[in-house]
Amino acid sequence: MLKDRKLQIVKAAAKRFARLGPGKTTLEEIARDIRIGKATIYHYFNSKDELFYASVEWESAQFIEDIKAIFNNAEIAVGARLLEYISYKENIGEKYKLLFDLMLQLLKDDSFEKEKNILKIMLSKEEEIVKLVLNSIFSSRLEGMNESLPGFIVTSSWGGFFGNKINNITEPDRNINSREFLFKSLETILS
């Protein structure tokens, strides 16, 4: 029951933080959303900041689980899984707004060490998943390849996501499919 209550608080806080931001969100609102007293939140978290970071960490863990599910989907071809992984990030701002906002802060170099550390851990886990997939599928072709390929794929897919966002702002009529471009580049590298 205690774990369930803590998770319920984190989920409610994540929704509230995503909608209003940490500055405009109050613990009273979060407590009211799930019909508990503010004191109950303090039973699990020492401060609003601690709850905010727990919410971001929870979103990060959910994102990693989604990535694992994409790569573990044996019903679609491996190349399609890689393409789906790259495509998945295009809508991250809708499903994981706290992560999206944190990435934007990182680009502006406006984030704090704790936020950077959360992203570093998430990106490291994401890179490990990509590395496992590449090693299991392309092991014979990857023997002589640089070990930085999984990191390149992770960062390039995030770069493609932000590149598409910028393109939609600067030239909304120009259709650039960075996902396809990245995937074709990877096919060339791995063939």
Side-chain angles (χ1 to χ4, degrees):
M1 177 67 180
L2 290 177
K3 252 185 159 177
D4 292 341
R5 175 65 75 189
K6 186 174 184 177
L7 181 59
Q8 183 185 26
I9 294 168
V10 168
K11 286 179 176 181
K15 285 181 187 176
R16 185 67 71 166
F17 288 134
R19 193 168 57 244
L20 300 174
K24 293 183 180 178
T25 298
T26 67
L27 294 179
E28 291 85 3
E29 293 167 329
I30 295 168
R32 191 173 49 242
D33 288 347
I34 52 177
R35 296 183 175 97
I36 62 171
K38 182 176 161 182
T40 303
I41 293 176
Y42 279 114
H43 174 74
Y44 295 98
F45 302 96
N46 294 323
S47 66
K48 183 171 82 167
D49 283 347
E50 186 179 319
L51 178 55
F52 172 73
Y53 290 123
S55 299
V56 174
E57 288 170 349
W58 175 77
E59 266 200 7
S60 172
Q62 296 304 301
F63 172 76
I64 292 299
E65 289 303 313
D66 289 351
I67 298 298
K68 286 179 182 177
I70 289 169
F71 283 120
N72 288 329
N73 184 355
E75 294 179 10
I76 59 175
V78 176
R81 288 182 231 174
L82 193 54
L83 189 56
E84 186 175 334
Y85 156 72
I86 295 167
S87 300
Y88 182 73
K89 293 180 181 178
E90 290 180 353
N91 297 316
I92 195 159
E94 294 167 19
K95 187 168 183 180
Y96 297 116
K97 184 162 181 348
L98 294 177
L99 282 180
F100 175 77
D101 290 346
L102 202 57
M103 283 289 187
L104 289 177
Q105 283 181 333
L106 185 67
L107 291 175
K108 294 189 298 186
D109 201 29
D110 198 24
S111 56
F112 300 107
E113 281 308 309
K114 183 152 182 127
E115 294 164 328
K116 287 180 182 178
N117 193 46
I118 291 170
L119 287 176
K120 185 178 177 181
I121 291 168
M122 183 193 78
L123 293 170
S124 175
K125 288 178 181 179
E126 187 176 347
E127 188 175 326
E128 276 301 309
I129 293 167
V130 171
K131 185 177 183 177
L132 286 171
V133 169
L134 291 176
N135 282 333
S136 69
I137 298 162
F138 302 107
S139 60
S140 63
R141 290 184 251 169
L142 292 175
E143 288 174 9
M145 191 157 299
N146 191 316
E147 289 186 25
S148 62
L149 181 61
F152 172 76
I153 292 171
V154 169
T155 55
S156 296
S157 60
W158 279 109
F161 163 74
F162 285 107
N164 279 340
K165 293 289 182 193
I166 292 168
N167 181 63
N168 288 338
I169 293 167
T170 58
E171 297 194 39
D173 296 333
R174 182 173 60 178
N175 187 14
I176 295 177
N177 192 336
S178 62
R179 165 188 45 185
E180 283 292 324
F181 179 75
L182 179 60
F183 183 69
K184 294 290 184 196
S185 299
L186 289 172
E187 278 185 325
T188 302
I189 290 170
L190 296 171
S191 59

